[in-house]
């Protein structure tokens, strides 16, 4: 039977520190770095990869996951209402089952925001599946103070329960802009005097996007978003749409047409395109292109592969096409990006 590890307490509390320390000690070996970062490297019998924890300003912590567990891995949690967590899945997926919000999975591109209420549930990793994600943890009270110190008037309310639930399970398109600064925090590995300042700047950008997303919350009487006029997305449609990114990645060297994707998903082309935009906040092809370029950015930082190999890995037919797309998306060439983050 798979062991269930336990985490409890608001981030920064004594309970959080104790349960987190016990969890990391049970699965990994710790290596502290000069800037305060602690890298927890998974024990071979547990799996492969690392969890890096970096302290930031005002009691926040940056956590970067790059893990693949050898066997099923389950983490139980019980957090009070003041616990704040903002997580972006860069690659892979993890299943979440929460008492009040229900069950779903965080997958590549998802952004999840903890609600302002007590939460409890289980996070489950499938055996051998690589999960790459970045998380900012802290408390809602500290967030209020942090934003107040930056001149923000008040942090907008999380919104009605159905809105909070959608955001908690990574379903909200309103939080999609938060993904970009969080992804930049994930790929940044440069060792320099300005490293922590850079990470803080990306945190501010992520929080600015978060404030905008919360401010745009619909009123309590507004029903959940629909994929087509007058008809909400059914559970089977959501499940089918969540398989589309994986299908696109598998066929990245020979992209399917929208008609082929629709047939594979048992949806009409119109339902596929409108439903996908509701679920992911972007068009099918824009989302897939961003995912490929996010993966390319990670490979540029974490490997010494030639740019041509990376271009092929993420589905581009030629290095020149990849270079043009990367420069348009990131504002710099792949080579310069690699040097800046080396």
């Amino acid at each position: 039977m798979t062991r269930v590890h336990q985490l409890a307490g608001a981030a920064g509390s004594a309970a959080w520190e104790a349960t987190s320390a016990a969890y990391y000690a049970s699965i990994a070996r710790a290596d502290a770095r000069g800037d305060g970062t602690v890298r927890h490297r998974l024990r071979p019998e547990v799996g492969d990869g690392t969890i890096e924890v970096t302290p930031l300003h005002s009691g926040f912590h940056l956590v970067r996951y790059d893990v693949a567990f050898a066997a099923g891995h389950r983490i139980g949690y019980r957090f009070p209402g003041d616990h704040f967590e903002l997580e972006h899945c860069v690659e892979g997926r993890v299943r979440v089952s929460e008492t009040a919000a229900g069950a779903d999975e965080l997958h590549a591109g998802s952004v999840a925001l903890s609600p302002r209420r007590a939460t409890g549930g289980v996070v489950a990793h499938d055996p051998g599946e690589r999960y790459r994600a970045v998380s900012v943890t802290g408390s809602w009270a500290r967030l209020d103070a942090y934003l107040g110190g930056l001149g923000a008037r008040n942090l907008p309310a999380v919104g009605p329960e159905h809105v909070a639930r959608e955001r908690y399970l990574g379903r909200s398109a309103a939080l999609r802009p938060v993904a970009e600064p969080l992804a930049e925090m994930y790929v940044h590995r440069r060792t320099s005097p300005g490293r922590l300042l850079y990470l803080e700047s990306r945190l501010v950008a992520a929080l600015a996007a978060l404030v905008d997303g919360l401010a745009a919350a619909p009123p309590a009487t507004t029903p959940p978003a629909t994929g087509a006029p007058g008809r909400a997305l059914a559970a089977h449609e959501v499940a089918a749409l969540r398989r589309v990114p994986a299908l696109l990645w598998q066929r990245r060297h020979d992209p399917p047409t929208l008609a082929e994707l629709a047939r594979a998903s048992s949806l009409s082309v119109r339902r596929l395109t409108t439903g996908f935009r509701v679920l992911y906040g972007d068009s099918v092809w824009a989302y897939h292109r961003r995912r490929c370029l996010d993966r390319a950015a990670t490979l540029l930082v974490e490997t010494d592969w030639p740019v041509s190999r990376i271009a092929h890995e993420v589905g581009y037919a030629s290095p020149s096409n990849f270079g043009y797309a990367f420069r348009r998306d990131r504002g710099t060439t792949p080579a310069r990006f690699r040097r800046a983050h080396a």
Side-chain angles (χ1 to χ4, degrees), residues 41-198:
R41 186 173 297 279
L42 296 187
R43 301 174 189 275
E45 66 272 19
V46 175
D48 173 69
T50 60
I51 303 174
E52 292 186 357
V53 183
T54 301
L56 300 174
H57 186 60
S58 298
F60 290 99
H61 285 78
L62 169 66
V63 186
R64 290 185 283 199
Y65 302 91
D66 183 357
V67 292
F69 294 99
H73 190 76
R74 292 162 60 85
I75 308 163
Y77 62 92
R78 190 175 64 257
F79 300 142
D82 194 40
H83 177 79
F84 170 83
E85 187 162 2
L86 186 63
E87 182 161 342
H88 168 48
C89 174
V90 178
E91 182 180 339
R93 64 172 185 150
V94 66
R95 288 177 284 115
V96 180
S97 178
E98 200 270 333
T99 303
D104 209 331
E105 65 179 38
L106 299 184
H107 54 273
S110 297
V111 177
L113 172 66
S114 57
R116 272 188 159 174
R117 61 167 170 77
T119 58
V122 175
V123 174
H125 295 258
D126 288 338
E129 181 163 9
R130 178 69 59 178
Y131 183 66
R132 292 185 169 96
V134 57
S135 173
V136 175
T137 62
S139 72
W140 283 97
R142 286 172 176 163
L143 182 61
D144 284 328
Y146 189 98
L147 293 175
L150 292 174
R153 293 183 179 179
N154 290 297
L155 182 69
V158 173
E161 177 57 28
H162 77 263
V163 173
R165 183 169 59 249
E166 294 293 293
R167 288 174 175 159
Y168 182 64
L169 296 176
R171 301 172 183 163
S172 175
L175 297 185
R176 186 64 186 89
V178 182
E180 184 174 349
L182 289 179
E184 290 173 343
M185 296 175 83
Y186 181 83
V187 301
H188 188 74
R189 296 293 193 276
R190 185 177 182 183
T191 301
S192 71
R195 177 173 181 269
L196 289 177
L197 185 60
Y198 174 84

Side-chain angles (χ1 to χ4, degrees), residues 240-256 260-266 272 285 288 291:
L241 289 166
R242 292 203 186 285
R243 291 193 292 270
V244 170
L247 291 172
L248 287 169
W249 181 253
Q250 292 166 8
R251 292 277 307 273
R252 63 192 184 277
H253 296 110
D254 180 25
E260 289 173 328
L261 280 175
R263 283 196 298 272
S265 305
S266 299
L272 169 70
W285 299 118
H288 176 61
R291 183 187 181 193

